[in-house]
Amino acid sequence: MAGHSKWNNIKRRKGAQDAKRGKLFMKLAREIFMAAKEGGGDQEMNSNLRLAVEKAKSNNMPNDNIDRAIKKATGDLDGVNYEEFTYEGYGPGGVAVMVKVLTDNKNRTAADVRHAFNKNDGNLGENGCVSFMFDRKGYLAIDRQSTDAGEDDLMLEVIEAGAEEMETGEEQFEIFTAPEDFTEVKASLEKDGYTFQTSEVTMFPSTYTPLDKEGVEKMLKLIDMLEDHDDVQDIYHNLDADDEILEQLS
């Protein structure tokens, strides 16, 4: 997982922008809807729904919104029917990009995603053209200020919990798990008293594509345009951007 901090820097930027735009609750509601639709409305029996609800609550989404999304998915309330798709392509400078969407109009969304790529020096590709460059992993981040545990002690607990790897940064302990072990590892560490800044199953690139300042600026414009679309849930990419460049462009 070396180099994952490049991903994390952009991810933090993404989260701040989603919140700023006020669209986060809608995206979270769709995620809950799909999880409940595919696996049922019982969180005890549906781990994907449980994770989606935890993510929503960590972002201060009201319980009424959460309940409404689940009831729409299970048929207790009328609602639209969403479908999930993932588009793959290349951004400026050949950066690999995957775009996960939930939409009630596939043709409209596909056209909009293609337009975003074309407008920002990218191109939409065929399914599978970049997905092989990404690995699905569970990710847990612990703020170092939130715990008195030292690196060695935490490492032992992380190993005992069943995680694959831990990395120590200046501000965070970052823990990686196999997707199927994520819930168990998270529960074990919570039982030990740890809280998480971030907890999710997501996609990590296996390699990164470095760009100069001009390329990074173009790539961030592509990300912004995609994120601004109501149907886009997540964007995964392998951009390598220096912190200094990101600071200049923020």
Side-chain angles (χ1 to χ4, degrees):
M1 299 308 300
H4 73 277
S5 58
K6 300 180 178 67
W7 166 90
N8 202 34
N9 288 342
I10 304 292
K11 190 75 172 178
R12 284 197 293 267
R13 180 181 186 276
K14 172 189 182 302
Q17 289 182 337
D18 270 350
K20 183 177 180 180
R21 290 192 180 99
K23 295 187 176 183
L24 185 58
F25 286 175
M26 180 180 64
K27 292 178 184 287
L28 291 169
R30 289 191 182 189
E31 191 170 334
I32 291 168
F33 177 94
M34 285 302 297
K37 181 181 176 183
E38 293 174 355
D42 186 346
Q43 294 184 50
E44 294 298 321
M45 303 296 293
N46 185 346
S47 60
N48 288 334
L49 177 59
R50 186 164 63 251
L51 290 175
V53 169
E54 288 177 1
K55 182 178 178 181
K57 288 183 175 180
S58 71
N59 284 281
N60 300 314
M61 185 173 178
N63 287 331
D64 285 348
N65 295 36
I66 294 172
D67 293 341
R68 187 159 56 247
I70 294 173
K71 288 178 179 179
K72 284 182 178 180
T74 56
D76 294 329
L77 287 176
D78 292 335
V80 296
N81 185 32
Y82 294 111
E83 294 181 280
E84 183 178 73
F85 300 97
T86 300
Y87 298 101
E88 302 181 33
Y90 297 92
V95 172
V97 184
M98 296 175 63
V99 185
K100 178 182 173 183
V101 306
L102 290 176
T103 179
D104 59 351
N105 188 325
K106 179 183 178 182
N107 292 335
R108 178 200 66 213
T109 303
D112 291 347
V113 170
R114 185 179 301 277
H115 174 68
F117 274 87
N118 292 342
K119 187 174 181 179
N120 294 282
D121 292 342
N123 62 282
L124 201 59
E126 299 292 329
N127 287 343
C129 67
V130 301
S131 57
F132 68 94
M133 302 181 191
F134 294 82
D135 297 312
R136 191 164 179 261
K137 294 280 185 181
Y139 175 73
L140 300 161
I142 299 174
D143 183 357
R144 296 189 65 172
Q145 299 297 320
S146 70
T147 177
D148 295 327
E151 180 179 0
D152 291 342
D153 290 337
L154 178 57
M155 177 68 80
L156 289 175
E157 291 179 282
V158 165
I159 292 172
E160 289 178 358
E164 292 185 340
E165 185 179 356
M166 186 185 88
E167 292 189 7
T168 302
E170 292 183 4
E171 299 178 356
Q172 295 176 317
F173 294 113
E174 297 179 298
I175 300 157
F176 303 89
T177 79
E180 60 272 17
D181 296 334
F182 174 79
T183 301
E184 184 177 343
V185 172
K186 181 174 182 287
S188 177
L189 292 174
E190 284 177 334
K191 187 176 179 181
D192 290 335
Y194 295 104
T195 58
F196 307 103
Q197 283 185 314
T198 306
S199 60
E200 61 183 335
V201 177
T202 187
M203 303 293 286
F204 286 89
S206 54
T207 61
Y208 286 83
T209 300
L211 295 179
D212 59 15
K213 182 178 179 180
E214 181 181 355
V216 171
E217 186 172 16
K218 290 180 179 178
M219 183 62 197
L220 294 181
K221 286 181 179 178
L222 171 59
I223 293 172
D224 286 345
M225 189 169 180
L226 290 169
E227 285 178 347
D228 202 39
H229 197 290
D230 289 346
D231 296 340
V232 172
Q233 291 293 114
D234 279 300
I235 303 165
Y236 312 111
H237 58 79
N238 71 340
L239 170 65
D240 180 352
D242 289 341
D243 289 345
E244 184 176 343
I245 292 177
L246 292 174
E247 291 259 345
Q248 293 172 4
L249 295 175
S250 62

